[in-house]
Amino acid sequence: MNARTKSALLLLTITVVSATLARDLSWTGASSTIWNMTAQNWKDEAGADCAFANDDGVTIGGATPTLTLAANVRPSRILFDFSSTLAFGFDGESKFLSGIGSFVKDGAGTLALTATGGKQAFRDYNGDVTVQSGALVLSGANQYASFGGVNTGTFFIENGGTLQVVHRNCFGKVDALDGCLASVFVKKGGAFQLGPDGSSHTGNTIKNLTL
């Protein structure tokens, strides 16, 4: 080995890049009812208190009556699993949900989404939505056109689940779900309700509905 080779070896630098692995978090609400990037309202797999980071998978359960989105978040998946009623509110003008992970409502309780603001609260969300049990209630005009995926996602209403759209223009058009960009709605024994009175929908204005 000559002197030039020895010098080249000495100059060799190995850089190790540490990546933050996505976690599975469970909601505690220990600090507040705010979902942002700093509040330690979650526990990780080891049971340690922590804050949410983008790409974490989250499970929200327990007896939290209200939850407010206070940041733009990108979870890898969301599971709502509870037996009471949870009001989940956020301003689509400045705070919105994004990502391609699954959005699942489970448990006997009701998840009431209330979105306001001039822009769609789910404009960057492209995952499937499944109502396995209990009820998912959507209210807020023109907030959900991207909810359930932009031309790629699917709404599944499983047996025992209910999807209620309170305002006819929740998805951006007056004619019920025609304004939604999801590719297909699959009603698998569950119930679809339209309007604040919860009337069962029997019309033909649901885009790509499979009964």
Side-chain angles (χ1 to χ4, degrees):
M1 184 180 294
N2 57 38
R4 178 176 296 179
T5 302
K6 290 181 179 179
S7 297
L9 289 174
L10 290 174
L11 292 173
L12 178 64
T13 302
I14 298 176
T15 302
V16 178
V17 178
S18 61
T20 301
L21 298 178
R23 304 161 296 174
D24 286 322
L25 306 184
S26 297
W27 174 262
T28 65
S31 175
S32 66
T33 60
I34 300 297
W35 181 358
N36 59 20
M37 310 294 284
T38 58
Q40 293 198 342
N41 283 321
W42 308 86
K43 284 190 180 296
D44 63 17
E45 302 96 322
D49 293 331
C50 62
F52 171 83
N54 281 336
D55 299 321
D56 286 337
V58 301
T59 298
I60 299 173
T64 301
T66 59
L67 177 64
T68 302
L69 189 68
N72 298 333
V73 300
R74 188 185 67 242
S76 61
R77 62 162 186 82
I78 306 177
L79 170 62
F80 291 91
D81 188 358
F82 50 87
S83 58
S84 56
T85 298
L86 170 62
F88 184 19
F90 48 100
D91 183 353
E93 181 68 36
S94 57
K95 305 296 183 292
F96 56 88
L97 190 71
S98 63
I100 59 174
S102 61
F103 185 109
V104 178
K105 166 63 186 74
D106 203 358
T110 296
L111 173 61
L113 297 185
T114 303
T116 59
K119 296 182 180 179
Q120 295 165 5
F122 291 88
R123 62 187 179 276
D124 291 329
Y125 176 78
N126 293 291
D128 290 341
V129 177
T130 302
V131 186
Q132 291 184 341
S133 58
L136 173 61
V137 180
L138 308 181
S139 62
N142 195 30
Q143 292 298 312
Y144 304 99
S146 298
F147 194 32
V150 180
N151 297 323
T152 58
T154 300
F155 264 93
F156 294 102
I157 311 174
E158 302 284 353
N159 189 19
T162 298
L163 172 64
Q164 180 181 355
V165 179
V166 175
H167 300 102
R168 297 188 69 93
N169 62 342
C170 273
F171 291 92
K173 290 186 177 180
V174 174
D175 206 9
L177 298 190
D178 278 350
C180 185
L181 300 179
S183 61
V184 66
F185 287 80
V186 181
K187 183 173 175 287
K188 302 170 68 175
F192 174 77
Q193 299 175 345
L194 181 63
D197 60 351
S199 299
S200 294
H201 180 66
T202 57
N204 58 1
T205 59
I206 303 177
K207 177 184 177 181
N208 297 332
L209 176 66
T210 301
L211 299 176

